[in-house]
Amino acid sequence: MDVKDIIKEENLVYSKSKVLTDTIMHYCPGCTHGVVHKVIAEVIEELGIQDKTIGVSPVGCAVFAYNYLDIDWQEAAHGRAPALATAINRLYPDKYVFTYQGDGDLASIGTAEIIHACNRGENIVVIFINNGIYGMTGGQMAPTTLIDMPTSTTPYGRKVDLNGYPLKITDLVAQLPGTCFVTRHSAHTPAAVRKLKKAVTKAFQNTRRKKGVSFIEVVSTCNSGWKLSPVESNNWMVEHMFPYYPLGDMKDE
Amino acid sequence: MAKIRGAIVVDVERCKGCSLCVVACPSSVIALAKEVNGKGYNYAYMVNPDACTGCVNCAIVCPDTVISVYKVKADAVA
Amino acid sequence: MAELKLMKGNEAIAEAAIRCGCDGYFGYPITPQSEIMETLMARQPWDETGMVVLQAESEVASINMVYGGAACGKRAMTSSSSPGISLMQEGITYIAGSELPCLIVNVVRGGPGLGTIQPAQSDYFQAVKGGGHGDYKLIVLAPASVQEMYDFVDLAFELAFKYRNPAMILSDGVIGQMMEKVQIGDYKPRLTDEEVVKRYGSWATTGKPSTRERNIITSLDLDANSQELFNLKLLKKYAEIEKNEIRFEEISCTDAEYLLVAYGSSSRICQKTVDLAREKGIKVGLLRPITLYPYPYGAIQKLVPQLKGILAVEMSAGQMVEDVRLAVNGKVPVLHYGRMGGVIPTPNEVLKVLEDKLIKG
C-alpha cells in the first residue's frame, strides 16, 4: 500500500489540538514545555472547557505560554501566579484556573504564594515545570538544581555548604491539607506523556468537583541550560533527576 | 489478522529537528533529513515508511506538535 | 436612601467598597488601616452583595490578587499603609503596565523603613512619581475628610475603569483614624461580566467564548519598537487624564496675597490657619489639591500674578512642594513647612512660619 493511500482525512488518528494556536513556539528544540503545553491543550479540548478556562503564565521560559494556548490568559509577575489564580478562583468559582510555573518561579521567588495558595485550598490546578535550572536567564542555579550539578552561577556544581539543598517543594505541598492531588510526572517518553495527560485530566476534574489544589510537577529537561542534546537530556534526567525527584502520586484524595 | 499500516506527515517548516520522535518510534520509521528546513533544522521524515504502524508515539512526544498521524488496516484498502 | 453615620475614616472606606459594587478586597493587616479589613470581615459582604474579602499572606500577594481580579474585569481593591505599599510596588507597576483598573488605598504612616505608626504624608513621591519601575502614573486622590474617604472609593473605581488605570486613595493616619459623620449612599449593584463588556469593552479574562479572540493580560513586549508604541499610548492616556480629571478646592483665594497649598489632613490644619491669619488681616488663601495626579498646576499658575508668596504645608520633608515650584516656575517665593515622623503641625505653627518666613523673610 502506498503512503498516499494512508494519508487521508478519514485515517487521521492524531493531529494538533484546536486549543493550540498556530504560533510557532519559541522554545528550544526538544524542550519539555512544548509537550506539556500540548497535553494541557488536549485536556482542555477533550473536557470541553476552553470557554471556562483561565491560565496564569509565569516569568521564565513559559512567559509566552499565552501565545500558544487559545484561552484567556493572565501574565503574572515572577512567582505571583498563585495569587492571581486565587483571585480568579474566588471571583469565578465555576471556572477552571491553572497556573503554569517553572522551578524558579514557583519554588524560589514565589514560595510564599504557592505555599499559601495550597494551604488555603484554592480550587486551582498548578502545573510545575522542574528542570533544575533557570532557562530563560541563561542557565543559572534553581532551587531545584541537583547537588554537584553545574550551572552558570554554580560553575563548579551546586555545593551544599554554599547553596543549600535542592528543594523538594512538591513533597512540601503534599503535606498541606488544602491540596487534594499531588503528583510528579515526566514527559520524556510516550508512556510518560500518556500518564501525564491522565493526571492533568484528573486535575481539571478535581476543579470541577471543587476539591482544592491539584499540583502536578513535571520533571523536565532544559537541554540548552544543561548543554546536552534533547535525547541526551532525557537520558541525563532519568539517570540524575529521577532518583532525587521520583515519579508518582504523593497524594490523591 | 489485518495488517496495521500507518504514516506520518511532518510539518517540515515547524520541525526543530530535536530527534525526540526518532527515539520514540518503536519501529525505526523516522530519521532526520540531511536537508534542512527554512530555519536550518534537519527535519524529521519517514526513512522507513513501510514499518509505520500509526502508533502515534512520535506525535505524542513532539514538543512542537508538528506530526500528524494516519492509520489504516491494510486489508481495508487492499 | 441616604443616611448619616458616625464612622472612622477606615470604616468609611470599607462601607463605601461594599456599597459601590466592589467585587473583591484583598489585604494584609497593618497599622493604621487595619479597620478596613476588619470592618469588611465583620460586615460579611459576600452574603449581602457577593463581594469577596480575603486576608492574604502578604502585601505582595494582596496586590497580585488585585491584579488577578482586575484582569477579570472586576472592581478589585486593596489597602495598606506605607511599608505595605512599598511591598506592593511590583504588583502596582504590573497592573499599570497591563492597563488594569483597580483601587489601592494608602493610609500613610511615617517612614522611612518601619518608621512609626503615626500619620504622615511622606509617600507623596511614591504615589505620584512612579513608585515602581517604568514610566507609569497612578490616578491619586487625596481625601481630607471621612466623607471623602467614603466618596472617593466609588470615584476612584469610576476613574480607574474609565482610563483602565490603577487609582490610589492617598490618605493618612489622621483621616483613617478620625471619626466624622458620613452621608452614606445607596447600594450600587456589582456589574455583571456583560455590563463590564458593554461599558468598558471586552478586554477582561472571563474565559474565552467562541465569539471572540482570546484575551491576554500582560505587560510584556520584547520588541523595543512596539514597547515604545505602548509607552506612547500610555502617555496619551495620561494626557487625557491631565486634561479631564484635575480636581482641587480653593478657599479664600479670590483676594489672597499669600497662598497655602496643602492636601489631606494638612489642608484641614491650613484651613484653620487661613482663619487665624484673616483675623489678623493677612490675606491668605488655601489651595487644596484633591487629585495629586493629575496635579492642579494650572490652578496654582492662575493665582501666581496676585501672590507675594506660597507656603506648601505637608507632613513630610518636602515632597509636594516640588510640584508647587514646578507650577510657579520661580515667579514667586515658594517655601515648605512640614513636620515628620508622625508629628502633626498646628494651625498656629503654620501661621508663625507664614508670618516669620514668608511675609517677613
Side-chain angles (χ1 to χ4, degrees), chain C residues 322-352:
Chain C
E322 292 192 4
D323 280 325
V324 178
R325 290 195 174 115
L326 272 178
V328 170
N329 202 15
K331 293 194 178 86
V332 289
V334 176
L335 297 186
H336 159 77
Y337 180 67
R339 298 299 300 268
M340 292 164 285
V343 181
I344 303 165
T346 65
N348 279 314
E349 254 178 86
V350 177
L351 179 62
K352 195 163 163 21

Side-chain angles (χ1 to χ4, degrees), chain C residues 53-290:
Chain C
V53 188
L54 187 62
Q55 179 169 340
E57 65 269 28
S58 67
E59 287 90 348
V60 176
S62 305
I63 192 67
N64 282 286
M65 290 174 184
V66 169
Y67 181 14
C72 293
K74 301 294 190 187
R75 279 192 165 200
M77 69 177 287
T78 186
S79 66
S80 188
S81 181
S82 311
I85 298 289
S86 292
L87 271 173
M88 290 184 186
Q89 292 305 323
E90 174 201 54
I92 294 173
T93 167
Y94 274 71
I95 290 169
S98 304
E99 291 203 273
L100 293 176
C102 75
L103 169 59
I104 303 136
V105 179
N106 184 0
V107 182
V108 179
R109 58 190 249 185
L114 204 45
T116 172
I117 59 170
Q118 307 297 328
Q121 294 181 306
S122 42
D123 295 356
Y124 179 89
F125 284 153
Q126 189 191 50
V128 307
K129 305 293 181 192
H133 62 277
D135 281 317
Y136 74 90
K137 293 284 186 188
L138 305 179
I139 297 166
V140 183
L141 300 168
S145 64
V146 178
Q147 183 69 54
E148 285 189 341
M149 288 285 259
Y150 183 92
D151 293 339
F152 287 1
V153 172
D154 188 42
L155 174 63
F157 273 124
E158 290 293 335
L159 293 174
F161 272 82
K162 182 176 175 189
Y163 296 100
R164 275 188 69 181
N165 201 73
M168 177 177 275
I169 291 178
L170 190 71
S171 181
D172 61 63
V174 177
I175 312 282
Q177 291 295 327
M178 74 182 183
M179 296 188 83
E180 285 183 321
K181 70 174 183 218
V182 182
Q183 190 169 351
I184 291 177
D186 292 335
Y187 283 84
K188 266 171 75 169
R190 293 168 55 225
L191 296 183
T192 63
D193 287 350
E194 293 70 30
E195 286 168 333
V196 171
V197 170
K198 213 172 149 194
R199 283 193 198 182
Y200 305 113
S202 173
W203 49 263
T205 54
T206 56
K208 176 201 173 299
S210 54
T211 47
R212 68 158 163 83
E213 295 293 301
R214 69 187 186 281
N215 284 336
I216 298 167
I217 300 295
T218 182
S219 56
L220 175 70
D221 197 334
L222 292 183
D223 180 79
N225 289 316
S226 77
Q227 176 65 35
E228 189 187 40
L229 283 178
F230 175 72
N231 290 125
L232 291 169
K233 182 186 169 205
L234 286 184
L235 288 188
K236 210 172 145 196
K237 175 166 86 175
Y238 300 149
E240 277 294 297
I241 294 172
E242 287 164 21
K243 197 175 89 193
N244 301 332
E245 306 302 344
I246 291 171
R247 288 165 169 78
F248 59 92
E249 184 186 10
E250 285 178 312
I251 294 167
S252 308
C253 285
T254 319
D255 63 341
E257 294 174 353
Y258 295 94
L259 184 69
L260 299 174
V261 183
Y263 69 93
S265 50
S266 289
S267 70
R268 296 170 68 107
I269 294 157
C270 288
Q271 209 173 330
K272 182 70 183 170
T273 305
V274 169
D275 293 344
L276 295 173
R278 291 253 167 198
E279 280 167 25
K280 293 175 105 175
I282 307 168
K283 288 181 175 170
V284 184
L286 168 64
L287 189 136
R288 173 172 80 97
I290 294 172

Side-chain angles (χ1 to χ4, degrees), chain A residues 210-253:
Chain A
K210 302 200 188 301
K211 288 176 72 174
V213 177
S214 295
F215 188 105
I216 302 173
E217 173 179 342
V218 186
V219 183
S220 303
T221 63
C222 175
N223 50 73
S224 294
W226 294 1
K227 306 193 191 315
L228 297 168
S229 74
V231 173
E232 288 165 347
S233 291
N234 277 342
N235 296 335
W236 194 91
M237 175 177 72
V238 172
E239 196 180 330
H240 296 92
M241 296 282 278
F242 286 2
Y244 197 81
Y245 300 112
L247 307 186
D249 291 351
M250 281 169 232
K251 188 185 210 174
D252 185 8
E253 292 171 349

Side-chain angles (χ1 to χ4, degrees), chain A residues 35-65:
Chain A
V35 184
V36 181
H37 284 13
K38 171 172 62 181
V39 166
I40 298 170
E42 289 175 359
V43 170
I44 289 171
E45 184 177 4
E46 286 166 24
L47 294 177
I49 57 172
Q50 186 178 12
D51 60 338
K52 297 181 199 72
T53 303
I54 299 162
V56 186
S57 59
V59 169
C61 284
V63 70
F64 287 123

